[in-house]
Amino acid sequence: MIITNPKIHQPILELVGEEADKLGIECYVVGGWVRDLILHRDSKDIDVVVVGKASADGEVPRWGILLAEAVAKRLGRGSHLSVFKTFGTAQVKKGDTEVEFVGARKESYRHDSRNPIVEDGTLEEDQNRRDFTINAMAICLNKDRYGELLDPFGGMYDLEDCIIQTPLDPDITFSDDPLRMMRAIRFATQLGFNLTGECFDAIARNKERINIITRERIADELNKIMLSRRPSEGWLLLDKTGLLPLIFPELAALKGVETMNGRAHKDIFYHTLKVLDNVAEAQGGLWLRWAALLHDIGKPRSKKYEPKVGWTFYNHNYLGAKMVPKIFKALKLPQNEKMNYVVKMVDLHMRPINLIEETVTDSAVRRLLFEAGDDINDLMLLCNADITSRNEDKVKRYHDNYELVMHKMVELEERDRIRNFQPPVMGDEIMQMFHLEPCALVGELKSAVKDAILDGIIPNDHDAAVIFIRQLAKDKGLETY
Ligand code: ATP
Ligand code: MG
């Protein structure tokens, strides 16, 4: 079969083919780029595999590096060549296109490591070592066979049928490199594909092998799952295959329903996944998606049955926020402002709902604005996503109430500019006013001003704050100057 998609005729690929012809070697574009070409997905990284003859002494030259050098030379200025001698690979970059060159290779594995023993091989052997049929296709770039598809495992049919399966025995594929179990679930989620029964069963059988994979690599796959259109699909597969408790026990602990005196609480795992999908549908960013996944993570620990009230989860937001740094550390997610943002979202996610249940006071709205700052819109998005009741009237009532809270926020923000609150009177000025050295009293006066503004006692401006401080100082018996 010949691929005619115009993308295969882009100048850089034709040029690679011409240079390969000059060197007298075969050359193919392979793997993810071919898959994405057929699926009409964007993809910038191009992997090229080359197959060349051994020289007179029986050694196979590093054809990948030689071809990369020739290509970089032809591209001239604006292109950049990196050579990785130990791996026998090279990369050429031009603009935002990256082409990776490597000799065809075959791999064999030892039990205790996902790093294989690598030897030179044929194109077929190179295709055999690839993870899924849809990732094992190659397109020839040599002039006389340009566009010819080499698809020994029927990857094309699997793309049409939306199926993920391994080229060889799945038990061997997954046991050799258990990261492939994560990749299988990630591709299923990203592409909206199904795992075949054999593939699914083999993951379930080999799940314990995931323990030899580094947390960083698992995190990469989890982030790709999170950024998919319906991230819940990935988490459900992780659960059903039995991988979930091995890689993220706190999330697995959300599963299940307990009943007391005939009263059951809802299954927090499925609720969480619905909230996550809602955030994804509303185009929430990666870290808001993590916040959605973790928003109720403290519930199992705070769960209590109180005969008069039923199931309660007091302070689960607070407990959950405390769990986030430990979870981020264990999953090797970043320990920085992104984590702090997730902590804040988990911590604050009950505040808007408490606002609508009470009568909304300006003071409570101002305090929430103050604490959420610029993340207030994300918080409200999360809270709206958190409404997953099946009772449509209830859902509508909640959404309407949030709408009211949002209006109130806009109104108060215009008036009092609380989101990026800067105290209208600085510590220096307070010290001058009362001839004070830096001391606790300065801090107390400052925070009294902040509270007065948040409570609406005074407006957020300098003169009002000075009058307020003088009055307060007088009450405390301080002398002003
Ligand atoms: P994406 O770039 O979206 O992550 P991809 O399929 O291009 O997807 P890469 O990691 O870029 O993934 O790898 C390129 C190709 O290398 C894959 O398509 C596949 O053929 C092969 N490959 C990558 N990782 C593995 C693996 N762990 N086992 C077997 N083959 C792999
Ligand atoms: Mg890729």
Side-chain angles (χ1 to χ4, degrees):
M1 178 179 180
I2 302 290
I3 301 291
T4 51
N5 186 319
K7 252 178 113 178
I8 192 74
H9 287 284
Q10 57 184 287
I12 189 151
L13 290 181
E14 293 191 327
L15 188 149
V16 169
E18 284 164 26
E19 291 305 311
D21 283 339
K22 284 190 210 161
L23 290 169
I25 56 179
E26 291 170 36
C27 125
Y28 305 87
V29 53
V30 290
W33 192 87
V34 176
R35 176 200 67 221
D36 289 341
L37 175 82
I38 295 163
L39 289 176
H40 301 285
R41 290 174 90 227
D42 253 0
S43 93
K44 294 208 174 73
D45 303 350
I46 305 176
D47 291 309
V48 169
V49 162
V50 302
V51 192
K53 293 204 172 55
S55 49
D57 61 3
E59 283 283 305
V60 180
R62 292 304 194 193
W63 288 117
I65 296 178
L66 294 173
L67 180 58
E69 284 169 350
V71 168
K73 205 165 158 197
R74 267 279 295 278
L75 287 173
R77 287 179 66 199
S79 72
H80 181 80
L81 170 74
S82 324
V83 174
F84 308 99
K85 275 221 175 93
T86 26
F87 301 106
T89 67
Q91 187 191 59
V92 176
K93 268 193 205 172
K94 177 138 193 184
D96 53 6
T97 308
E98 275 181 30
V99 192
E100 187 97 25
F101 295 85
V102 56
R105 57 199 220 190
K106 76 172 178 229
E107 290 176 350
S108 47
Y109 286 84
R110 287 166 295 143
H111 189 73
D112 56 346
S113 159
R114 67 173 287 264
N115 301 320
I117 301 158
V118 181
E119 295 165 80
D120 292 321
T122 62
L123 176 69
E124 248 198 328
E125 282 165 337
D126 195 284
Q127 286 173 297
N128 282 342
R129 73 174 177 87
R130 294 184 180 264
D131 49 5
F132 306 111
T133 58
I134 59 167
N135 285 349
M137 294 180 284
I139 301 175
C140 188
L141 297 179
N142 294 97
K143 189 142 193 202
D144 54 349
R145 291 167 59 207
Y146 204 92
E148 182 184 326
L149 177 74
L150 292 110
D151 180 16
F153 308 109
M156 198 67 157
Y157 296 111
D158 288 347
L159 281 182
E160 270 166 29
D161 298 341
C162 303
I163 280 176
I164 308 276
Q165 61 178 326
T166 58
L168 307 176
D169 179 343
D171 278 302
I172 297 173
T173 301
F174 292 131
S175 169
D176 276 352
D177 176 1
L179 180 67
R180 294 168 181 160
M181 302 193 281
M182 294 299 300
R183 283 174 56 92
I185 291 174
R186 182 259 286 195
F187 284 121
T189 313
Q190 252 181 350
L191 305 176
F193 280 26
N194 292 308
L195 306 178
T196 59
E198 290 82 12
C199 186
F200 178 95
D201 292 344
I203 296 178
R205 274 193 297 274
N206 288 281
K207 61 178 191 235
E208 301 285 346
R209 296 275 297 146
I210 198 68
N211 293 327
I212 69 164
I213 301 299
T214 64
R215 295 276 143 183
E216 285 82 355
R217 285 185 175 269
I218 295 177
D220 283 347
E221 299 301 326
L222 292 179
N223 281 333
K224 287 180 181 170
I225 289 173
M226 286 301 248
L227 285 170
S228 303
R229 207 167 61 88
R230 282 164 60 92
S232 66
E233 288 172 6
W235 293 107
L236 286 171
L237 279 172
L238 287 168
D239 172 45
K240 287 188 190 138
T241 52
L243 282 167
L244 190 64
L246 301 173
I247 60 170
F248 193 172
E250 296 87 345
L251 188 65
L254 299 187
K255 278 193 71 180
V257 175
E258 243 185 291
T259 309
M260 282 282 252
N261 297 339
R263 292 165 90 168
H265 61 77
K266 63 179 165 190
D267 186 302
I268 307 159
F269 181 64
Y270 296 107
H271 161 73
T272 292
L273 294 186
K274 180 82 187 98
V275 178
L276 173 60
D277 279 354
N278 287 346
V279 167
E281 204 183 320
Q283 309 294 325
L286 177 62
W287 303 107
L288 190 59
R289 293 175 189 213
W290 275 105
L293 190 74
L294 297 174
H295 79 285
D296 278 348
I297 204 77
K299 273 195 170 174
R301 293 194 190 172
S302 65
K303 183 163 92 173
K304 253 205 196 113
Y305 184 78
E306 295 179 17
K308 287 202 184 112
V309 206
W311 291 103
T312 63
F313 301 92
Y314 293 129
N315 284 329
H316 74 271
N317 51 321
Y318 175 67
L319 277 173
K322 278 218 320 210
M323 288 167 74
V324 171
K326 283 188 202 137
I327 290 172
F328 264 53
K329 194 161 177 214
L331 293 178
K332 291 277 190 294
L333 291 168
Q335 309 272 298
N336 58 15
E337 73 288 345
K338 290 170 180 131
M339 180 186 82
N340 297 339
Y341 163 91
V342 175
V343 169
K344 179 159 123 180
M345 289 293 131
V346 174
D347 186 14
L348 293 180
H349 85 270
M350 295 299 288
R351 291 280 287 278
I353 199 140
N354 291 338
L355 275 185
I356 64 178
E357 278 173 357
E358 299 158 10
T359 42
V360 192
T361 65
D362 287 0
S363 161
V365 175
R366 274 196 214 92
R367 281 183 183 277
L368 182 58
L369 270 170
F370 173 69
E371 280 173 59
D374 277 341
D375 298 320
I376 188 71
N377 290 331
D378 288 1
L379 180 67
M380 294 310 288
L381 194 158
L382 174 62
C383 292
N384 272 300
D386 197 6
I387 306 165
T388 62
S389 164
R390 252 175 269 172
N391 177 339
E392 280 178 29
D393 287 343
K394 205 166 152 188
V395 170
K396 188 172 176 330
R397 202 170 65 239
Y398 273 105
H399 282 303
D400 288 350
N401 283 339
Y402 277 148
E403 217 30 50
L404 280 178
V405 173
M406 299 278 264
H407 276 301
K408 191 123 217 155
M409 281 179 177
V410 172
E411 212 178 276
L412 286 174
E413 179 58 24
E414 270 172 17
R415 209 170 71 206
D416 299 335
R417 303 175 320 281
I418 298 295
R419 265 165 83 147
N420 291 304
F421 183 84
Q422 294 292 337
V425 177
M426 294 296 178
D428 288 351
E429 195 179 343
I430 298 177
M431 289 191 289
Q432 269 180 18
M433 273 161 80
F434 305 108
H435 278 200
L436 289 171
E437 293 295 313
C439 63
L441 183 60
V442 179
E444 262 173 49
L445 290 171
K446 257 175 76 178
S447 81
V449 171
K450 185 193 85 191
D451 286 336
I453 293 169
L454 293 179
D455 290 338
I457 296 167
I458 58 169
N460 185 6
D461 79 42
H462 177 262
D463 292 352
V466 168
I467 294 169
F468 176 79
I469 287 188
R470 284 189 192 283
Q471 185 57 47
L472 202 66
K474 207 166 153 193
D475 297 346
K476 283 182 186 280
L478 267 179
E479 232 175 281
T480 47
Y481 292 84

